[in-house]
Amino acid sequence: MKVVTFGEIMLRLAPEGYLRFTQADRFGVVYGGGEANVAVSLANFGVESQFVSRLPKHEIGQAALNSLRRYGVDTSHIVRGGERLGIYYLEKGASQRPSKVIYDRAGSAFAASSAEDYDWNEIFRGTDWFHFTGITPALGGNIASVCLTAAREARKRGITVSCDLNYRKKLWSKEEACRTMSEICRYVDVCIANEEDADDVFGIHAASTDVQKGILDREGYVSVADQLGKRFGFKVVAITLRESISASDNVWSAMLYADEKAYFSRKYPIRIVDRVGGGDSFGTGLIYAMLCGWNEQKIIEFAVAASCLKQTVEGDYNMVSADEVLSLAEGNASGRVQR
């Protein structure tokens, strides 16, 4: 089985530990980005995964490329060109102090790419699944058009298409997101969202929910998923449900909606190490479990367990195996030392 993901990989710069930006005199370096994170996680699960993007030819672009190759991701369709790699700065929150992200990605090599950079006929050869996020079309330039073309070409070939809505208010407005994603989502089979995305992008709100206060009404999301499915024809809608006690402690679960039936996962209390990439690891788990042909309950349990484990791992990439995820999904949540 082969999965293709399409998006931007960035350089992540973060102060040590829980230092604030204004305290830091050095920054740690890792690489990551929504679709790159999915590609790496799938490779760690043993799936043939290919990441498609555009990177500058200089050494920083090569370092980003090497970070993907290190884990077995196919980079043969990454185009080289442009001047800069996108950057984001991360300040990790703790207790009542939230995490902060500052983007420095305008004019990146990927954002400046064009339709001519990507031969979808060749890229999609032998592909079973295509994945992207709402971050990609939000980057401006020609990228939204390229993303639309990719989704349309995948649909023409009978490839399953998944999209994580991933609304980022620092990248575009709700109106822009709604207009663009409404067109792209016509070619999507599997929609992934969190408790805010459906509201921010499409104005579909879960009743009795207040995300800022960490109050979620699970049943309200059945209606959200049903409305999304009927509006765009999604075969599956998956929604992550994060109950935020603080920046350090969350309760994590999710819902899968298919054939007008909802499946809720168990809940996991998480002491967060690094929450960046949590949603991407959920998407990875969903893709992997669906490709395995498991039933709906096992699919959502696996996806939630995968994202639960990611939030205990430093960096963007989810450095866990499918066996570790299955162990947690099947109830081994004690955290005891494995000898």
Side-chain angles (χ1 to χ4, degrees):
M1 293 178 289
K2 176 184 171 184
V3 178
V4 170
T5 72
F6 174 62
E8 180 171 44
I9 185 170
M10 293 182 290
L11 170 67
R12 163 173 150 178
L13 298 175
E16 294 179 342
Y18 293 92
L19 291 176
R20 306 211 68 185
F21 289 135
T22 51
Q23 292 177 288
D25 58 9
R26 61 180 64 88
F27 290 84
V29 172
V30 297
Y31 296 90
E35 298 86 354
N37 299 342
V38 171
V40 169
S41 295
L42 285 169
N44 285 335
F45 289 169
V47 175
E48 181 184 355
S49 65
Q50 180 179 101
F51 179 62
V52 178
S53 190
R54 185 171 184 256
L55 291 173
K57 292 182 179 180
H58 55 53
E59 290 83 354
I60 303 303
Q62 188 62 43
L65 191 74
N66 292 347
S67 76
L68 296 162
R69 287 176 173 170
R70 177 182 180 184
Y71 300 108
V73 174
D74 181 352
T75 60
S76 60
H77 287 286
I78 291 181
V79 180
R80 304 303 296 271
E83 299 299 323
R84 70 186 302 259
L85 186 71
I87 299 171
Y88 83 94
Y89 299 87
L90 172 68
E91 178 185 283
K92 290 170 66 175
S95 192
Q96 281 69 45
R97 177 171 59 84
S99 297
K100 289 188 176 181
V101 170
I102 297 174
Y103 290 119
D104 179 17
R105 63 198 300 180
S108 69
F110 178 71
S113 61
S114 64
E116 292 71 30
D117 289 319
Y118 307 104
D119 181 352
W120 297 109
N121 209 35
E122 186 62 32
I123 291 168
F124 285 145
R125 193 179 303 277
T127 297
D128 300 285
W129 196 293
F130 175 58
H131 177 76
F132 63 97
T133 77
I135 294 172
T136 295
L139 296 177
N142 298 309
I143 292 298
S145 176
V146 174
C147 197
L148 174 62
T149 297
R152 186 187 294 124
E153 291 298 315
R155 171 64 67 84
K156 281 170 53 177
R157 291 164 174 77
I159 297 167
T160 299
V161 179
S162 60
C163 174
D164 188 336
L165 292 180
N166 259 351
Y167 175 71
R168 296 290 184 268
K169 64 183 179 181
K170 291 186 177 181
L171 296 179
W172 59 354
S173 69
K174 293 179 181 180
E175 293 74 21
E176 290 174 310
C178 181
R179 183 171 58 253
T180 301
M181 296 307 296
S182 291
E183 188 173 10
I184 293 174
C185 281
R186 293 188 294 124
Y187 302 97
V188 170
D189 301 294
V190 179
C191 176
I192 303 166
N194 66 21
E195 64 272 13
E196 297 175 272
D197 289 334
D199 188 13
D200 287 335
V201 179
F202 299 123
I204 300 174
H205 179 69
S208 304
T209 288
D210 188 328
V211 173
Q212 298 303 319
K213 295 180 180 179
I215 300 171
L216 302 182
D217 175 22
R218 298 200 317 173
E219 297 306 320
Y221 287 97
V222 176
S223 174
V224 168
D226 185 64
Q227 290 179 66
L228 284 170
K230 287 177 178 175
R231 184 182 297 188
F232 298 107
F234 300 137
K235 297 175 182 176
V236 173
V237 177
I239 298 178
T240 56
L241 305 171
R242 184 187 296 273
E243 298 171 63
S244 295
I245 300 167
S246 70
S248 302
D249 294 282
N250 287 183
V251 177
W252 185 250
S253 62
M255 181 198 75
L256 183 72
Y257 189 77
D259 296 322
E260 299 187 345
K261 186 174 180 180
Y263 303 83
F264 287 93
S265 75
R266 71 187 68 185
K267 291 187 176 186
Y268 293 96
I270 306 175
R271 174 57 57 89
I272 292 176
V273 172
D274 190 336
R275 65 172 283 176
V276 175
D280 304 322
S281 55
F282 174 80
T284 302
L286 192 76
I287 293 167
Y288 178 82
M290 289 184 68
L291 286 172
C292 287
W294 295 338
N295 65 47
E296 288 83 359
Q297 193 62 48
K298 188 171 182 179
I299 289 170
I300 196 62
E301 295 293 358
F302 185 89
V304 167
S307 54
C308 174
L309 288 175
K310 162 60 197 81
Q311 293 172 84
T312 70
V313 177
E314 291 278 7
D316 273 51
Y317 299 155
N318 192 16
M319 304 311 301
V320 299
S321 68
D323 286 343
E324 288 175 308
V325 176
L326 274 172
S327 178
L328 176 58
E330 292 170 356
N332 185 4
S334 67
R336 291 175 62 87
V337 176
Q338 304 295 305
R339 292 190 173 96

